[in-house]
Amino acid sequence: MSGMNFTKEKTVGVVVDLDIDRIYANPDQPRTPRYDEGLSDLADSVRLNGVLQPISVRRCGDRYELISGERRLRAAKMCGLTQIPAIIYDMSDRNSAILALVENIQRQDLTFFDEASAIERLITIYGMTQEEAASRLGKAQSTIANKLRLLRLTPPERELIIRNRLTERHARALLRLGSPSERLLVLDRVIKNSLNVDKTELLIDE
């Protein structure tokens, strides 16, 4: 935050207090089943201490599109706040969407399938290569490739994996099987017998 200060004389790149009702959510922020977990705790913290880290927005006409910090914004609304500290950035639609997706991918509450889907959007919608996506996210290109492979699993398979709290390594092991019917058969045995990754791989080898 070097070079930023709490003045309202210049609005771009500095921290200002914005009216909450003038801020709307970025459409490139997908929701997850665990998205609301801990939101009430965050609201309690905001109620006691205020919003300690400014949200990021960009100006769109007389309103502001949220780039990052939606949980802080929602917590502030829960507390009945009418204003929130924000940093206003001057950027294009494309850069705003990319930044929102990158921040979303780096969140800790995403499932690995949500993360893979968001990475796929960076590549297919915004024309990035796997290498460019890896650089943006601070990951190895091989890591990005492995995450994208997870999207070969069908929606029912993904649902079973997430609902039963299996790991990304479980999911990658299942990709060694050629058909959804085989994978569902193995998934059923893995879930019923609470198999760890090593035992899952042995079952797949059989």
Side-chain angles (χ1 to χ4, degrees):
M1 290 178 58
S2 60
M4 298 177 185
N5 52 63
F6 287 86
T7 175
K8 295 186 179 182
E9 294 176 1
K10 296 181 180 179
T11 59
V12 174
V14 299
V15 179
V16 297
D17 289 328
L18 292 182
D19 293 338
I20 283 178
D21 59 9
R22 295 176 65 194
I23 302 168
Y24 65 94
N26 189 301
D28 287 298
Q29 291 281 15
R31 298 291 172 270
T32 70
R34 293 183 292 169
Y35 185 79
D36 288 331
E37 285 186 10
L39 192 60
S40 60
D41 290 339
L42 179 58
D44 289 340
S45 174
V46 168
R47 192 175 288 109
L48 288 172
N49 307 302
V51 179
L52 300 180
Q53 180 182 357
I55 63 172
S56 300
V57 300
R58 71 185 187 104
R59 191 189 301 275
C60 295
D62 61 351
R63 300 180 68 203
Y64 298 88
E65 180 187 87
L66 187 71
I67 298 172
S68 65
E70 185 165 357
R71 282 172 61 83
R72 276 166 276 156
L73 178 62
R74 295 183 66 196
K77 289 180 179 178
M78 288 176 65
C79 295
L81 299 184
T82 59
Q83 291 190 321
I84 189 169
I87 300 172
I88 303 172
Y89 289 95
D90 184 12
M91 63 177 61
S92 67
D93 289 349
R94 182 179 186 275
N95 285 339
S96 174
I98 288 173
L99 183 58
L101 268 176
V102 168
E103 198 225 38
N104 184 69
I105 293 168
Q106 292 171 337
R107 280 195 350 232
Q108 297 301 307
D109 61 339
L110 284 183
T111 71
F112 39 87
F113 291 122
D114 291 328
E115 184 181 9
S117 295
I119 292 170
E120 183 184 46
R121 292 186 70 184
L122 281 178
I123 292 170
T124 58
I125 297 178
Y126 300 108
M128 288 190 182
T129 64
Q130 288 191 17
E131 290 80 3
E132 287 170 336
S135 177
R136 278 270 191 168
L137 297 168
K139 299 179 184 292
Q141 191 273 332
S142 58
T143 300
I144 298 298
N146 283 332
K147 288 185 179 296
L148 290 172
R149 288 177 63 237
L150 297 173
L151 299 178
R152 297 178 189 173
L153 297 173
T154 64
E157 291 166 346
R158 299 180 203 178
E159 171 66 22
L160 281 172
I161 289 167
I162 295 302
R163 190 195 316 150
N164 291 280
R165 300 182 181 277
L166 300 183
T167 67
E168 184 174 342
R169 288 184 60 204
H170 280 101
R172 288 207 303 268
L174 287 165
L175 287 169
R176 290 162 51 192
L177 296 170
S179 70
S181 59
E182 287 180 313
R183 293 194 293 262
L184 286 171
L185 183 64
V186 168
L187 260 176
D188 182 63
R189 292 178 63 180
V190 168
I191 292 165
K192 284 182 177 177
N193 296 287
S194 302
L195 300 184
N196 62 23
V197 175
D198 290 338
K199 290 180 179 178
T200 298
E201 291 178 337
L202 286 174
L203 176 60
I204 291 170
D205 289 339
E206 294 174 3

